[in-house]
Amino acid sequence: MAALLAAPVLVRWLGRKAFLILAAAPASAATWALVHTGAVLNGDGPTSDVLWVPSLGLALSFRLDSLSWLLVLMVGGIGAAVFIYCSRYFSERSTGLGRFAAVLTAFAGAMLGLVTSDNLIQLYVFWELTTVFSYLLIGHYSDRVSSRRAAMKAILVTTVGGLAMLVGIVILGTEAGTYSISQILTLPPSGSLVEAAVALILVGAISKSALVPFHFWLPAAMAAPTPVSAYLHAAAMVKAGVYLVARFAPAFATLPLWGALVTVLGCLTLVVGGYQALRQNDLKLILAYGTVSQLGLLILLVGSPYKGPALAGVALLGAHALFKGCLFLTVGVIDAATGTRDLRRLSGLGRKLPLTAVVAALATASMIGLMPFSGYVAKESALDAFLTPGQYESPLKWAVIAAFAVGSAFTVAYGLRLWWGAFATKPGVPSYPVVVTPPPLFLIGPPALMAVAGLATGLLPDLGEAVLSPFSNRLPFGEPGHLALWSGFNPALAITIGILALGLALAAVGDRVQRWRFPW
């Protein structure tokens, strides 16, 4: 709250340098989570209960467990990096920076409240606050019609989903006799009304996380400033829906309707998003549709009732925040240096911005699943869980594996096309731009740190398993999953090689893919 109130004043005094001071707010949240890592691993994370509305018996309840620990690190750590990036992304003459800084700070606070809430009503309040703040951030360039339309589209879709979610929360709390999330997860209620409530809560989650048929709002939101795209649509807002599914999966993932929605919509979104990403020429739109695809995979994994896929899902949750946040910020560097994001116009940029090209290459390698990056560890763990007997049993098992393979091949294809389009010297295309100014430290430093973190966490799979398995082990079925850099020569490795080969082939014929037409 103090940072929120101070933001406009600091910007008035210091200009864009105020973002360097404001970065301390999300950074302190990430530091707080790291300090309590030991307690979280022991199942004794910090809790706080403060009376909110005594006459109604409502309290502000916060709780830090392994799932919320991961989300606090993402929201706080990447939030701090985005604030630092903002200190050089905006020009000194930018208007509305005080308002922007205050809203971005408020959004970070709302996300932190959301992922640590242990009360359903309180969670919903923070949920709607993120909706309002994201509307203001997406529509920051209020003089542009595209920004206003994108902001309106985002708030309409997520608000409708949020209203459905509210009805589900009221029904679930009434049936359970409590609005305490931890108590509901310990003794989940049952019955047809509970199933209806869970379905309504899922509607809120899939609308927030842009799953089919709500996926159209997220690419439109690319009208926002690039730091907003990196934070809201890679690490924070769209992850709220994934978090909600993961939070309630231990109690309700065995419900038939839950399984049908999570499996069908997750697979469909994974494939549709990947296909659409391969058809784009705007670097931000490639990343936007790629995010849609990855959100489908995340929901599919964390919404599973099996321990193995759930562990892979939360590992991919962290990996995705790092590589996608890095790539969005890198595209911002390219846009600032060249004045364009159209990959058809760019040529020879890798020679002029070698550090930026290397940073983007590291993040792209994690995104497409190359060893030894965190993206590879998470995706290989997911594939191994799908293929291991007893780790994942579903009537749609082989359809899920096929969707995983096709969606991952699309990821390889659009990832390679993104990097090639941004940095390669293209035959027959004049070198553009002729002169490029290397980015300052505070512009390239934050994405570079994310890229290195994606490599470092991939090299420490045992540590990742130790901190994330307390969540996945709460799922009802299957043997505990594992994160590993090398699991030997097995069917998962063979499928991974096939995915890479198919992805390379799709990248090579990317122009032809653009001419394909489907109803979505």
Side-chain angles (χ1 to χ4, degrees), residues 399-474:
V400 168
I401 293 173
F404 179 94
V406 173
S408 297
F410 275 131
T411 302
V412 173
Y414 70 70
L416 294 176
R417 187 165 184 268
L418 173 84
W419 192 92
W420 173 85
F423 298 104
T425 300
K426 307 180 182 72
V429 179
S431 181
Y432 180 86
V434 177
V435 179
V436 178
T437 302
L441 176 62
F442 287 162
L443 208 57
I444 192 59
L449 287 175
M450 293 182 202
V452 172
L455 175 60
T457 51
L459 293 171
L460 299 170
D462 292 340
L463 177 60
E465 183 177 326
V467 297
L468 298 177
S469 59
F471 160 74
S472 61
N473 288 340
R474 297 187 63 189

Side-chain angles (χ1 to χ4, degrees), residues 163-457:
L163 290 174
M165 175 181 159
L166 176 60
V167 175
I169 283 174
V170 172
I171 296 173
L172 181 61
T174 301
E175 290 297 300
T178 179
Y179 285 95
S180 168
I181 296 173
S182 55
Q183 291 182 33
I184 291 173
L185 295 180
T186 302
L187 294 171
S190 59
S192 57
L193 277 177
V194 171
E195 292 188 25
V198 170
L200 290 169
I201 291 174
L202 278 178
V203 171
I206 64 178
S207 65
K208 198 84 157 185
S209 287
L211 267 64
V212 171
F214 302 107
H215 62 296
F216 57 89
W217 74 261
L218 193 150
M222 293 303 105
T226 294
V228 174
S229 301
Y231 195 27
L232 274 66
H233 306 135
M237 179 182 168
V238 295
K239 296 296 176 59
V242 178
Y243 166 78
L244 194 69
V245 171
R247 175 58 71 199
F248 287 103
F252 302 114
T254 56
L255 295 177
L257 183 60
W258 176 291
L261 284 174
V262 165
T263 303
V264 174
L265 294 183
C267 289
L268 185 60
T269 305
L270 169 61
V271 175
V272 169
Y275 159 73
Q276 290 286 11
L278 190 54
R279 298 183 64 240
Q280 307 304 313
N281 293 312
D282 184 303
L283 297 176
K284 273 183 76 172
L285 283 180
I286 294 175
L287 293 176
Y289 280 107
T291 297
V292 170
S293 177
Q294 294 289 300
L295 288 170
L297 177 57
L298 286 168
I299 292 288
L300 175 66
L301 293 173
V302 302
S304 166
Y306 290 86
K307 296 179 176 66
L311 176 62
V314 289
L316 184 59
L317 187 65
H320 179 269
L322 290 172
F323 64 66
K324 195 55 70 70
C326 171
L327 287 171
F328 269 117
L329 296 184
T330 302
V331 169
V333 172
I334 295 170
D335 196 9
T338 68
T340 184
R341 300 194 304 261
D342 191 332
L343 59 80
R344 294 168 297 185
R345 297 183 61 195
L346 296 168
S347 183
L349 197 59
R351 295 196 304 268
K352 298 169 183 175
L353 295 178
L355 179 57
T356 305
V358 169
V359 169
L362 293 176
T364 301
S366 185
M367 180 172 70
I368 67 179
L370 293 183
M371 185 187 291
F373 294 88
S374 56
Y376 166 83
V377 172
K379 290 183 178 180
E380 199 71 6
S381 174
L383 192 53
D384 189 61
F386 286 143
L387 293 169
T388 302
Q391 283 277 9
Y392 182 80
E393 299 299 332
S394 166
L396 299 174
K397 175 176 180 175
W398 292 106
V400 168
I401 293 173
F404 179 94
V406 173
S408 297
F410 275 131
T411 302
V412 173
Y414 70 70
L416 294 176
R417 187 165 184 268
L418 173 84
W419 192 92
W420 173 85
F423 298 104
T425 300
K426 307 180 182 72
V429 179
S431 181
Y432 180 86
V434 177
V435 179
V436 178
T437 302
L441 176 62
F442 287 162
L443 208 57
I444 192 59
L449 287 175
M450 293 182 202
V452 172
L455 175 60
T457 51

Side-chain angles (χ1 to χ4, degrees), residues 54 61 81 83-84 90 100 107 129 184 205 227 251 260 262 269 306 353 420 479 490 504 508 510:
S61 300
F83 272 84
I84 293 171
F90 294 102
F100 178 87
F107 175 84
L129 284 175
I184 291 173
V262 165
T269 305
Y306 290 86
L353 295 178
W420 173 85
E479 295 298 319
N490 54 25
L504 284 168

Side-chain angles (χ1 to χ4, degrees), residues 80-168:
V82 168
F83 272 84
I84 293 171
Y85 184 89
C86 287
S87 70
R88 292 306 298 266
Y89 177 80
F90 294 102
S91 74
E92 293 284 6
R93 299 181 300 276
S94 295
T95 59
L97 271 192
R99 181 184 70 251
F100 178 87
V103 175
L104 188 62
T105 304
F107 175 84
M111 273 301 304
L112 290 169
L114 190 159
V115 300
T116 56
S117 288
D118 194 33
N119 179 282
L120 282 173
I121 301 298
Q122 174 187 325
L123 181 147
Y124 178 75
V125 171
F126 284 119
W127 183 278
E128 289 303 291
L129 284 175
T130 63
T131 296
V132 174
F133 294 142
S134 68
Y135 165 77
L136 296 173
L137 291 170
I138 294 169
H140 172 67
Y141 297 125
S142 57
D143 57 327
R144 302 178 186 176
V145 174
S146 59
S147 294
R148 297 198 300 270
R149 286 178 176 172
M152 186 59 67
K153 187 179 294 185
I155 198 170
L156 285 175
V157 172
T158 54
T159 298
V160 169
L163 290 174
M165 175 181 159
L166 176 60
V167 175

